[in-house]
């Protein structure tokens, strides 16, 4: 098993996904410093918001991310950009003296790339519209794989406000198919008239 520092958040990064983060808590500044010094990643898990005796409850499935860029933001805080690398499942979690969580994890295979069926192509169309409407999101991806069901499904799961149980169910699956099935019912397919506009 591998040991990872954890950064629970109410939004997530999945493999091949990217996110900009603002780092201000001392424990996470330490995490970033150690990751940069040792060229290692850290784990991101969905924080459910529910409290337990050890603090907030986090998802048992997470993603190891690597820091690919950093900057000092206008407000003086540290900004980093991360990319999702590998899925994992939590095996054992504990907190260090400053509250930084660490865990022993087991790696999970990432979803295989697969072609998106023509009947599900509206998922790609809708995703591309979101990237066009919110350029700060689209700017993260110089390469977009709208024909890949795995890539499209994971980008949607990063965007949608999922309940922790739904997130666990979908991300723990061995393939993207359960997520595609869920997205097909959750996202409205535009009518032919809307598509032509």
């Amino acid at each position: 098993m591998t040991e990872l520092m954890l950064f629970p958040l109410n939004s997530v990064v999945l493999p091949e996904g990217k996110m900009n983060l603002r780092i201000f808590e001392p424990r996470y500044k330490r995490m970033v410093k150690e990751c940069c010094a040792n060229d290692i990643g850290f784990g991101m898990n969905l924080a459910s918001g529910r409290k337990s005796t050890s603090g907030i409850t986090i998802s048992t499935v997470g993603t190891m991310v690597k820091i690919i860029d950093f900057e000092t933001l206008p407000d003086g805080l540290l900004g980093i950009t991360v990319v999702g690398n590998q899925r994992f499942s939590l095996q054992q979690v504990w907190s260090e003296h400053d509250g930084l969580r660490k865990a022993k994890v087991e790696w999970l295979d990432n979803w295989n790339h697969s072609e998106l069926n023509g009947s599900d192509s509206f998922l790609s169309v809708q995703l591309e519209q979101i990237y066009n409407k919110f350029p700060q999101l689209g700017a993260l991806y110089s390469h977009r794989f709208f024909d890949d069901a795995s890539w499209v499904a994971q980008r949607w799961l990063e965007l949608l406000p999922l309940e922790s149980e739904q997130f666990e169910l979908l991300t723990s699956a061995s393939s993207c198919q359960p997520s595609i099935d869920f997205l097909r019912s959750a996202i409205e397919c535009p009518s032919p008239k809307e598509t032509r506009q």
Side-chain angles (χ1 to χ4, degrees), residues 34 51 53 58 61 75 82 85 89-90 111 117-118 128-129 155 163 170-171 183 194:
E34 290 186 20
K51 295 282 186 177
T53 55
I58 62 176
V61 177
D75 57 8
V82 298
N85 192 298
S89 64
L90 294 177
W111 292 342
N117 291 332
E128 187 169 16
Q129 288 177 355
R155 301 299 74 80
E163 294 292 332
L170 296 175
T171 56
L183 293 167
E194 291 175 317

Side-chain angles (χ1 to χ4, degrees), residues 95-112:
S95 295
E96 299 203 319
H97 65 282
D98 56 0
L100 180 68
R101 292 189 185 192
K102 281 191 172 182
K104 288 185 177 179
V105 306
E106 287 189 352
W107 299 116
L108 300 173
D109 291 334
N110 289 341
W111 292 342
N112 290 328

Side-chain angles (χ1 to χ4, degrees), residues 4-146:
L4 283 179
M5 295 174 282
L6 300 181
F7 186 33
L9 205 62
N10 58 7
S11 54
V12 294
V13 176
L14 296 171
E16 299 185 71
K18 295 180 181 178
M19 183 183 287
N20 294 321
L21 298 170
R22 289 156 48 95
I23 306 297
F24 54 89
E25 293 188 46
R27 55 181 166 172
Y28 297 126
K29 287 182 179 179
R30 175 168 75 87
M31 178 189 74
V32 169
K33 183 177 180 180
E34 290 186 20
C35 286
C36 291
N38 298 297
D39 191 26
I40 57 174
F42 60 90
M44 287 190 68
N45 297 72
L46 182 66
S48 70
R50 298 195 310 270
K51 295 282 186 177
S52 69
T53 55
S54 59
I56 57 171
T57 303
I58 62 176
S59 61
T60 60
V61 177
T63 306
M64 189 272 282
V65 302
K66 296 292 289 279
I67 299 169
I68 57 173
D69 197 12
F70 60 91
E71 63 179 333
T72 301
L73 300 173
D75 57 8
L77 297 179
L78 173 64
I80 63 173
T81 302
V82 298
V83 61
N85 192 298
Q86 183 74 39
R87 297 192 310 147
F88 63 80
S89 64
L90 294 177
Q91 301 301 309
Q92 182 184 354
V93 181
W94 65 94
S95 295
E96 299 203 319
H97 65 282
D98 56 0
L100 180 68
R101 292 189 185 192
K102 281 191 172 182
K104 288 185 177 179
V105 306
E106 287 189 352
W107 299 116
L108 300 173
D109 291 334
N110 289 341
W111 292 342
N112 290 328
H113 298 284
S114 59
E115 188 172 349
L116 191 67
N117 291 332
S119 59
D120 296 325
S121 61
F122 74 95
L123 297 174
S124 289
V125 173
Q126 300 283 73
L127 182 62
E128 187 169 16
Q129 288 177 355
I130 288 176
Y131 287 161
N132 291 336
K133 186 174 181 180
F134 301 98
Q136 71 274 22
L137 281 176
L140 289 170
Y141 299 100
S142 56
H143 301 288
R144 303 175 185 181
F145 304 98
F146 291 122

